[in-house]
Amino acid sequence: ISTKHRNTSIVALNAVSTFSQIGQYGLGTTLLPIAMVAKGASPEQIGMTSSAFWLGMLIGLLIAGQLTRSMGYRITVIAGLVVSALSFALMPLIDWQWWLIPAAIIGFGLGLRWIANETWLYKLAPAHARGRIIGIHETLISIAAILAPLILVGVGAVKPTAFLVAAATIMFAILPLFIAATLPASELPNTVKLNIALPRFQFGKNMKQAITFLMGFGALIAGLGGWMEGSILAFLPVYCADIGLASGDVAWLLTILGVGAMTCQFAIGWLADNKGVLWTAKLCTLAAFLAIITSIIFGKDFLSLAVTMFILGGVGGGLLTLGIFWATLDDASDSLSNRVRQVSIIYTILSATGPFVAGFVVGHTGSASLFW
């Protein structure tokens, strides 16, 4: 591949991720809960639908490697985008009580696109510039968390328009795929291992064995961020409706959540480089705790909620960044790709579990329990 074609391909695949992320993730995680609140759904129903999105993504992550080996990168990405777009387009036509099915399919398509497109991208990236390309890519996909709520501010969440915008944005992401260079995918690993050993750290013996059996420490850090982020995305609309805020206010708060996620990652990465992953993770969780206490005390004030959302957005995304960072510390290990994949899987599992559990808690105790 010529240098010019390689660079063009990298730009094209970054464009695919950017546009598809706005629809699949940005609107997938914000539009559905806001629309369901407007339609009178219970917290349990909202929690189950939000969890279905993340569980669908998990299935996509697990089978993406096999599909890519069979169909290639381009066709796998297209398949993921098409099923997500069709699901969005069909949702206004069916009863909202059945939305957990298309929600799961949207997440499934996201999982396929995530693995196939990013593997394709990073294989094209030259080794000397891979870190910078990954940084640019993560910044671009963070835009989705800001633009998606702004789309809801503009078009609303009750009418079918937002669903059609999501479908159109996802389908538009297909176009740059035909510019990217074709690469073989036969060397992708066949299996995903979930019981990868912990990097060395002085835990108590039993605690270390338990965590090692279930997940790597990087996956645990990322998963806690996913639990928190998934719960907030699903139930912030419920909480805001209960305190009298309009859906437009919810969209702005979700936008601020995305701004926090995008703007805090460099600082968190810098701290991890200089202070270590564990020290930075402790600082992040302390910041999240103080922000949540602020919301419990002053939670009916828009400004205090905005500050809380900014901090929680930064921490939620930051814990995923720290989890990936921890997983890549031992870059000489043959299990590097499995550890990174493990982080994404555990992150997705706990992102699904968070809103599922929160739905039953909020349903039985009230929306104020979300922050508790």
Side-chain angles (χ1 to χ4, degrees), residues 40-41 71 98 114 136 142 153 183 188 222 251-252 258 260-261 286 291 302 313 322:
M71 303 189 301
W98 295 99
W114 182 359
I136 292 170
S142 295
V153 171
L183 291 180
L188 284 174
W252 279 115
L286 174 62
F302 181 88
L322 292 173

Side-chain angles (χ1 to χ4, degrees), residues 4-338:
K4 181 178 179 180
H5 194 190
R6 182 187 299 274
N7 291 340
T8 302
S9 300
I10 289 170
V11 171
L13 294 179
N14 271 303
V16 173
S17 287
T18 302
F19 286 105
S20 59
Q21 188 81 347
I22 293 170
Q24 289 178 306
Y25 178 81
L27 288 169
T29 57
T30 58
L31 171 59
L32 304 189
I34 294 176
M36 291 183 74
V37 168
K39 292 177 180 293
S42 70
E44 290 92 342
Q45 291 169 319
I46 295 171
M48 292 177 66
T49 301
S50 297
S51 293
F53 171 85
W54 293 101
L55 291 173
M57 188 193 305
L58 174 63
I59 296 171
L61 291 172
L62 291 173
I63 72 169
Q66 181 63 47
L67 286 181
T68 303
R69 284 190 300 275
S70 302
M71 303 189 301
Y73 292 117
R74 184 177 286 106
I75 299 301
T76 304
V77 175
I78 290 174
L81 296 175
V82 168
V83 297
S84 292
L86 288 176
S87 296
F88 267 118
L90 290 174
M91 288 182 87
L93 305 178
I94 63 177
D95 192 299
W96 62 266
Q97 297 185 56
W98 295 99
W99 278 6
L100 77 167
I101 297 174
I105 298 174
I106 292 168
F108 173 76
L110 195 163
L112 294 186
R113 186 265 303 170
W114 182 359
I115 296 299
N117 196 68
E118 291 195 18
T119 305
W120 188 3
L121 171 63
Y122 298 147
K123 283 184 65 178
L124 282 167
H128 69 275
R130 189 167 293 133
R132 282 169 285 172
I133 290 171
I134 292 173
I136 292 170
H137 179 266
E138 294 303 310
T139 300
L140 288 172
I141 64 175
S142 295
I143 294 173
I146 300 173
L147 284 184
L150 289 178
I151 290 172
L152 297 183
V153 171
V155 304
V158 179
K159 297 180 180 179
T161 306
F163 295 88
L164 298 178
V165 168
T169 306
I170 294 168
M171 292 300 291
F172 184 78
I174 293 176
L175 298 180
L177 285 170
F178 297 98
I179 301 173
T182 301
L183 291 180
S186 58
E187 69 279 14
L188 284 174
N190 287 309
T191 59
V192 175
K193 298 179 181 179
L194 294 180
N195 59 338
I196 298 164
L198 265 172
R200 288 187 297 276
F201 187 76
Q202 295 301 315
F203 284 108
K205 183 178 179 180
N206 292 337
M207 178 64 75
K208 180 176 179 178
Q209 289 176 342
I211 297 176
T212 302
F213 178 76
L214 294 171
M215 62 186 78
F217 190 69
L220 175 61
I221 294 173
L224 291 174
W227 175 287
M228 181 168 57
E229 185 178 38
S231 301
I232 292 293
L233 287 170
F235 288 102
L236 183 66
V238 177
Y239 178 79
C240 289
D242 286 349
I243 65 173
L245 294 179
S247 60
D249 295 322
V250 180
W252 279 115
L253 289 172
L254 291 172
T255 301
I256 294 168
L257 186 80
V259 171
M262 187 175 73
T263 58
C264 293
Q265 300 316 302
F266 179 81
I268 290 171
W270 182 87
L271 284 171
D273 281 334
N274 289 275
K275 295 289 188 178
V277 174
L278 189 59
W279 187 94
T280 309
K282 289 178 179 179
L283 179 65
C284 285
T285 50
L286 174 62
F289 176 76
L290 294 176
I292 289 170
I293 291 298
T294 300
S295 287
I296 290 172
I297 298 174
F298 305 106
K300 295 186 178 180
D301 176 72
F302 181 88
L303 180 59
S304 67
L305 278 175
V307 172
T308 298
M309 290 305 108
F310 180 86
I311 295 173
L312 293 182
V315 170
L319 291 176
L320 176 58
T321 297
L322 292 173
I324 294 288
F325 187 91
W326 183 286
T328 59
L329 286 177
D330 185 10
D331 58 5
S333 173
D334 293 337
S335 63
L336 172 62
S337 62
N338 274 326

